[in-house]
Amino acid sequence: MEKITAIRGFKDILPQDALLFRKIESIARRIFDSFGFREIRVPLIEKTDLFKRSIGETTDIVEKEMYTFADRDQELITLRPEATASVIRAYIEHNMHAAEPITKLFTIGPMFRRERPQKGRFRQFNQIDVELFGEEKPQADAEIIFMLMHFLTGCGLQNLVLEINSLGCPACRPSFSKAVIDFLKGSEANLCPDCQRRIHTNPLRVFDCKVETCAATIARAPAILDFLCADCHDHFTQVKSFLDDLNITFAVNSRMVRGLDYYTRTAFEVKASTLGAQNAVAGGGRYNGLVSDLGGPAVPGIGFAVGFERLVSCLPDDGTNIFKTDLFVAALGSKAQKIAFGLTNQLRAQGLSAEMDYADKSLKSQLKRADKLNASFTLIFGDKEIEEQQALLRNMQTKDQQAIPLDRLPESIIKIIKER
RNA sequence: GUGGGUGUAGCUCAAUUGGUCAGAGUGCCGGGUUGUGGCCCCGGAGGUUGAGGGUUCAAGUCCCUUCACUCACCCCA
């Protein structure tokens, strides 16, 4: 029989890692809650047009990375490659803008992109996605970046680098784009083949090319920050100022461009040095035109996404990522087994984590098992104890054992373990 | 989509120029204590060497095909 494996790029999150995922999720929920963000859960599949319109027809994501299928009625549907589009769709669909001036949402879940897998990149991966609608003031930008950094450091991440940039707006970006294209065409000979292609497809991408000659050429290229209109310039200046006020250290990277078309003004990225080539652990930006582009009101928005797997992979090992068991019930003999079976399940029903062995094994092997399960206590009883109407509760760390009357077993055990 | 690397026990990896090379550690099970874990000692189970084909007296080792994993490019979280 040939064994069936998971699809390429799709990973099982095994219990050990799931424990970390849970931990990160709970930190996220707690912090986002303090900042007034509410959880929203949106579908994993949307109409294909939603992503085409939001992410951009000519982006790599839409052109070659989406999982798109024909539904049974031939309508094209797509496994979401990112969450922002879906959240905005829901925001519009439920008229949230009318219910309150500012809406803060977050969602956690899997995204799908059909790329070639490598370190830190999978075809199904999880993101924490945060969106803030209805506020265009620079405080919103600073607030959301502050919350992101607070969250990442709260998870225990170190050596993070925050980079920010402003991508301008429909008023000022075109003149910059034109200047860049003119410049690139003038120095086309110095660029790598990929970049020569990019001049025509997506000129701004030339900015993060890693080829040396390209980087050297780009160093002399026009910078977006010199082309910002007065409003965008002012907005960016204030964002930086508010970040300073919040004691957030950042680096302005005027060459940072982002892969999604919808960003305006503030764009930011957080890099972690331990990640390998795919070193961005979070990224985001402002999208003032996107809500209306998707058929909603003219409401500004800003958001970010955190790569869950990437975050988890650079988490320091603090030794807390282990499973524990409150009680192991070691029964000896069939009579004791029968009682233990009822007792174990009764204790579980009352919230203790309890385990026992159904095979009639030696005490030694049962204690070994208890040890493997990181049991705090082991309850030992066999014929002798039944006769004496008691059981032995062994503290696995101190090796202390105390006798407990059988008729008060559950209550006494719960009391002792909870008081510990 | 393109390029490199790697596939041997559940896991991490050995095996010289093709010739007792099917191994170790760890994990698992059992014993050393007729009922007391971690350390230590002993024993046991577990592999068509990813798969298929070829060369050879002989292939884990060489060749071809294929699959998978992995890293990088592209791009992104």
Side-chain angles (χ1 to χ4, degrees), chain A residues 133-313:
Chain A
F133 300 100
E135 183 57 82
E136 59 184 348
K137 293 275 197 246
Q139 284 96 323
D141 305 49
E143 162 188 320
I144 215 163
I145 292 173
F146 176 72
M147 181 175 82
L148 171 60
M149 297 311 285
H150 177 60
F151 165 64
L152 293 175
T153 52
C155 289
L157 295 203
Q158 292 164 341
N159 302 318
L160 297 172
V161 176
L162 167 66
E163 294 187 346
I164 66 171
N165 193 20
S166 176
L167 303 180
C169 66
C172 52
R173 186 147 42 166
S175 60
F176 167 67
S177 295
K178 186 174 181 304
V180 169
I181 293 170
D182 287 347
F183 170 84
L184 291 176
K185 280 184 175 163
S187 35
E188 192 164 344
N190 301 326
L191 298 175
C192 68
D194 276 333
C195 284
Q196 295 190 12
R197 175 179 54 79
R198 290 190 185 107
I199 292 176
H200 308 289
T201 55
N202 198 342
L204 293 186
R205 289 246 72 92
V206 178
F207 279 79
D208 37 39
C209 183
K210 285 152 194 144
V211 177
E212 262 183 52
T213 53
C214 294
T217 305
I218 284 301
R220 301 191 310 273
I224 175 76
L225 296 178
D226 296 327
F227 285 76
L228 295 182
C229 61
D231 285 348
C232 284
H233 180 80
D234 184 49
H235 189 271
F236 191 51
T237 303
Q238 288 198 60
V239 170
K240 289 187 288 186
S241 162
F242 283 119
L243 284 176
D244 284 335
D245 291 348
L246 292 170
N247 288 315
I248 295 292
T249 50
F250 59 88
V252 173
N253 177 359
S254 66
R255 300 179 323 179
M256 180 177 74
V257 291
R258 305 216 19 98
L260 292 76
D261 283 354
Y262 52 64
Y263 287 117
T264 57
R265 290 191 171 166
T266 312
F268 52 95
E269 220 170 79
V270 182
K271 293 176 179 172
S273 48
T274 53
L275 279 176
Q278 312 301 321
N279 63 355
V281 69
R286 180 167 277 287
Y287 44 84
N288 285 349
L290 185 55
V291 178
S292 60
D293 285 350
L294 290 175
V299 170
I302 181 169
F304 65 77
V306 179
F308 218 121
E309 285 81 357
R310 291 184 187 178
L311 167 51
V312 166
S313 81

